[in-house]
Amino acid sequence: MATKKLTAKLREEVGTGDSNQLRREGYTPGVLYGRSKDTKNIAFNTKELQKIVTDEGYGALVTLDIDGKNTAAILKDVQREIVKDGFLHADFQELSENEEIRLTIPLYLENREKAETNDSIVQLQLSEIDIECLPKYIVSYVNIDAAKLKDQPAITIGDLELEGIDILHEDDEVIASLTYASKAQEEDDDDEEATETPIYEDEKSVLE
């Protein structure tokens, strides 16, 4: 289930002074929490954490090595310094194989060129979804095949098939649709906002 290992240690002391000392020693202060479990104050190896955030992003599945004991967890949040962009604090949620977890995952559009024409482009209307599932079914992202728009006016939540995952959206919520606009017009959008007319829209369309 977990693909990355992250070295960590329990924190006996908390507070600004202790946190600053940990950062100087190459650790990022944080917490590990879970359902029906006491929250633990943890310090994470900063270099390993930076690599995980860079490679996997938020929602990364990891095995925490806390003083030699392995714990499956998911990265929920990282607080950064405004100026130096260093890590200030990290939150992880402990995973249990028999308990469902709720999280948000991104949607990525592929095969746009198979649906677009000189008069229409693919418009992504939903870039992420909320899901709930057991840890063994967690996915990092979902690819959306835009080629389906050659045969249907829109791709909706109801078109997704994710094993063991409950998608926390209405089935008719639109993920992607075609919009009337020339590709030349699309390229000029950085200089001048284009006026587009959706080929498909519903009450929740972001193009209204």
Side-chain angles (χ1 to χ4, degrees), residues 26-187:
Y27 283 84
T28 299
V31 295
L32 174 66
Y33 61 89
R35 293 181 181 178
S36 304
K37 297 179 181 178
D38 293 334
T39 298
K40 299 175 183 177
N41 294 308
I42 308 289
F44 308 98
N45 182 288
T46 298
K47 288 185 178 180
E48 294 178 7
L49 180 60
Q50 288 174 333
K51 181 171 176 54
I52 288 172
V53 172
T54 299
D55 294 346
E56 306 291 336
Y58 297 110
L61 299 175
V62 303
T63 296
L64 295 177
D65 180 357
I66 305 174
D67 298 325
K69 181 181 178 180
N70 290 337
T71 301
I74 184 170
L75 176 61
K76 299 296 288 186
D77 187 39
V78 172
Q79 297 176 20
R80 299 174 181 263
E81 294 178 295
I82 297 177
V83 178
K84 297 181 179 180
D85 200 34
F87 289 170
L88 291 174
H89 194 274
D91 295 350
F92 281 84
Q93 182 176 347
E94 186 172 350
L95 299 179
S96 174
E97 62 180 9
N98 296 319
E99 292 183 356
E100 291 188 334
I101 183 172
R102 181 175 296 191
L103 64 157
T104 301
I105 58 174
L107 303 177
Y108 296 128
L109 205 58
E110 59 182 6
N111 297 325
R112 297 176 69 120
E113 70 282 357
K114 293 183 179 181
E116 293 181 336
T117 66
N118 290 331
D119 299 321
S120 63
I121 60 174
V122 175
Q123 178 75 43
L124 182 66
Q125 300 189 39
L126 193 63
S127 61
E128 59 185 23
I129 56 173
D130 298 319
I131 65 172
E132 189 171 56
C133 62
L134 293 173
K136 67 179 180 180
Y137 294 116
I138 291 176
V139 294
S140 299
Y141 60 89
V142 176
N143 284 325
I144 305 299
D145 187 4
K148 292 181 179 180
L149 292 172
K150 294 193 300 181
D151 303 314
Q152 61 192 69
I155 299 172
T156 66
I157 291 293
D159 293 318
L160 300 182
E161 297 181 1
L162 303 177
E163 181 184 2
I165 294 177
D166 183 17
I167 304 175
L168 307 178
H169 295 257
E170 297 295 333
D171 284 348
D172 61 354
E173 188 167 353
V174 175
I175 296 173
S177 62
L178 284 176
T179 297
Y180 285 118
S182 68
K183 291 191 175 181
Q185 182 180 24
E186 182 184 15
E187 294 172 356

